Amino acid sequence: EIRDRALATELSYGTLRLRGRVDAALGQALDRPLRRVESEVRNLLRLGAYQLLCLDSIPDAAVVHETVLLARRIGFERATGFTNAVLRGLIRIRDEQGLVWPDPVADPIGHLESWGSMPRWLAERLVAELGPEEAIHFAEACAKAPPRTVRVTTSGVRERVARELGGAPTPYAPMGVTNAAKDPSRGPSFDRGEYVIQDEASQLVPLLLGAAPNDTVVDCCAAPGTKAVQLAEIVGPRGEVIALEQNRTRMALIYKSAQRLGLHNIRPLERDVAKGFDLKGPSFYRRILVDAPCSGLGTLRRNPDARWRVRPEEIPRCAERALEILSSAGRYVEEGGSLVYSVCTFTPEETRGV
């Protein structure tokens, strides 16, 4: 069951991560544009092609056979012959003449779109903002599975946790362990609350606030609570983290995170920060974190669906919303205090622009 779950995760996330590359490969084995194939069959072909191109552990014959069975199981008996022919054709091209990709020097945008697996609008942006060479490096990094990373919550156990998980200490975050060979969510130390699953960049953001024991910290847009619990550990039981979240459903995630770690110094409140705090308490706060909602394009390794889900017109809307939130939060910062603005994206509109 664990192996089946791991394979299902690899197939779904891997196919999303490399969908552009898989689509370009399938296009070389099809007699029609891929977009003209029914969506259900198109996704089955993608799953099969991903295995044929990226997974050496599954025999080609097994991939074709299972994909045909899946087509039959979801009610596409009429597409079984087509599915079989396309995947076998892809195997022949792969083994005999080789798949062809746009040249990275002559056509960097085409190369990013196919081999780099980026939607064309994003490929064009990356080339314009980073230059062709760096854009290709970025795409290649995003095509890899992300490392498993945790943040240790208990002092003195970091080395032990690293050994348990088969990982190593993070180079920058002082309490992190990364490149875990084992699933962190299934370890005994996770059940004891000795660590939380958190990427290294995320671990660094709360440290920028400079919070100390007994401080009061306001965490705007706090769900799912990963940074809120980190701040709660920093300020200690006599400090407080006021965790503001507009979405009531997502507020439950903050409660869950605090409960698992036995933290009682987090006060979740349902608030739209852009409209003001109204916390029925002090008028100003020394430490405020604005981890604003954004396009999420900096998390393409962790959330590969974002590259296909986000549309270019959403970026200026995200920037406008972030500016509203940041402008509102800025009114509550105590003189001499700290306001940290962070986003998990790289677009100029949402970063320097805001």
Side-chain angles (χ1 to χ4, degrees):
E1 182 184 346
I2 294 173
R3 289 180 62 187
D4 289 345
R5 188 185 301 121
L7 178 59
T9 301
E10 169 66 25
L11 292 180
S12 55
Y13 277 78
T15 303
L16 282 169
R17 199 174 287 119
L18 295 180
R19 196 183 90 179
R21 188 182 304 180
V22 164
D23 284 4
L26 284 169
Q28 298 177 50
L30 281 164
D31 60 357
R32 71 194 76 169
L34 182 61
R35 66 178 181 275
R36 290 178 53 192
V37 178
E38 291 169 291
S39 60
E40 294 88 349
V41 179
R42 185 165 65 235
N43 286 330
L44 286 181
L45 290 174
R46 285 168 171 161
L47 283 169
Y50 175 73
Q51 295 170 78
L52 294 174
L53 300 176
C54 305
L55 297 185
D56 297 330
S57 58
I58 306 176
D60 292 348
V63 172
V64 176
H65 178 70
E66 289 297 323
T67 307
V68 169
L69 286 182
L70 278 173
R72 185 171 291 130
R73 191 173 300 163
I74 65 172
F76 280 81
E77 176 70 37
R78 67 182 185 279
T80 54
F82 172 74
T83 302
N84 179 77
V86 171
L87 294 181
R88 290 194 180 280
L90 181 60
I91 294 169
R92 281 195 302 275
I93 295 171
R94 181 199 66 187
D95 294 344
E96 294 174 11
Q97 63 217 58
L99 293 160
V100 179
W101 313 100
D103 184 83
V105 177
D107 184 9
I109 292 173
H111 186 80
L112 279 169
E113 189 178 14
S114 55
W115 179 258
S117 198
M118 292 287 175
R120 189 166 187 87
W121 72 267
L122 184 53
E124 291 171 348
R125 279 191 66 120
L126 290 170
V127 169
E129 292 170 13
L130 302 177
E133 188 175 348
E134 284 301 312
I136 289 170
H137 287 323
F138 176 84
E140 289 174 347
C142 291
K144 299 174 183 175
R148 292 165 163 169
T149 306
V150 304
R151 180 180 58 80
V152 175
T153 62
T154 307
S155 60
V157 303
R158 188 186 188 197
E159 294 295 334
R160 174 171 60 77
V161 169
R163 287 194 301 272
E164 285 181 6
L165 296 178
T170 46
Y172 302 109
M175 298 292 282
V177 171
T178 192
N179 293 319
K182 299 177 182 176
D183 183 352
S185 66
R186 304 182 69 85
S189 296
F190 179 78
D191 296 332
R192 293 194 295 267
E194 291 183 356
Y195 59 77
V196 298
I197 298 171
Q198 185 178 5
D199 284 332
E200 185 175 16
S202 173
Q203 296 180 37
L204 294 171
V205 171
L207 303 181
L208 298 174
L209 268 177
N214 307 327
D215 276 353
T216 296
V217 176
V218 180
D219 181 4
C220 305
C221 317
T226 311
K227 295 180 180 70
V229 298
Q230 183 177 354
L231 288 166
E233 293 164 14
I234 292 171
V235 303
R238 297 195 177 191
E240 183 181 42
V241 175
I242 303 170
L244 307 181
E245 174 56 46
Q246 182 181 4
N247 188 308
R248 183 174 298 182
T249 303
R250 285 173 58 79
M251 279 185 67
L253 300 174
I254 304 174
Y255 284 107
K256 185 177 180 180
S257 297
Q259 186 177 31
R260 190 180 76 81
L261 298 173
L263 295 169
H264 304 287
N265 58 343
I266 299 179
R267 178 156 56 109
L269 296 173
E270 186 180 348
R271 293 289 190 280
D272 180 354
V273 175
K275 296 180 180 178
F277 282 14
D278 183 28
L279 303 184
K280 313 297 185 188
S283 300
F284 301 99
Y285 297 87
R286 191 163 184 78
R287 313 284 180 195
I288 298 179
L289 170 63
V290 176
D291 188 44
C294 66
S295 62
L297 292 176
T299 66
L300 296 186
R301 291 180 77 181
R302 184 72 61 196
N303 303 297
D305 62 303
R307 73 187 74 199
W308 313 115
R309 177 173 41 80
V310 175
R311 295 289 178 264
E313 59 270 18
E314 294 175 39
I315 292 172
R317 289 201 295 265
C318 287
E320 183 179 358
R321 176 65 175 167
L323 182 57
E324 290 176 355
I325 293 170
L326 185 61
S327 300
S328 176
R331 296 198 299 267
Y332 297 89
V333 184
E334 180 182 308
E335 187 172 348
S338 298
L339 171 65
V340 170
Y341 169 72
S342 68
V343 285
C344 51
T345 190
F346 51 80
T347 65
E349 296 97 318
E350 299 170 273
T351 52
R352 297 187 300 275
V354 172

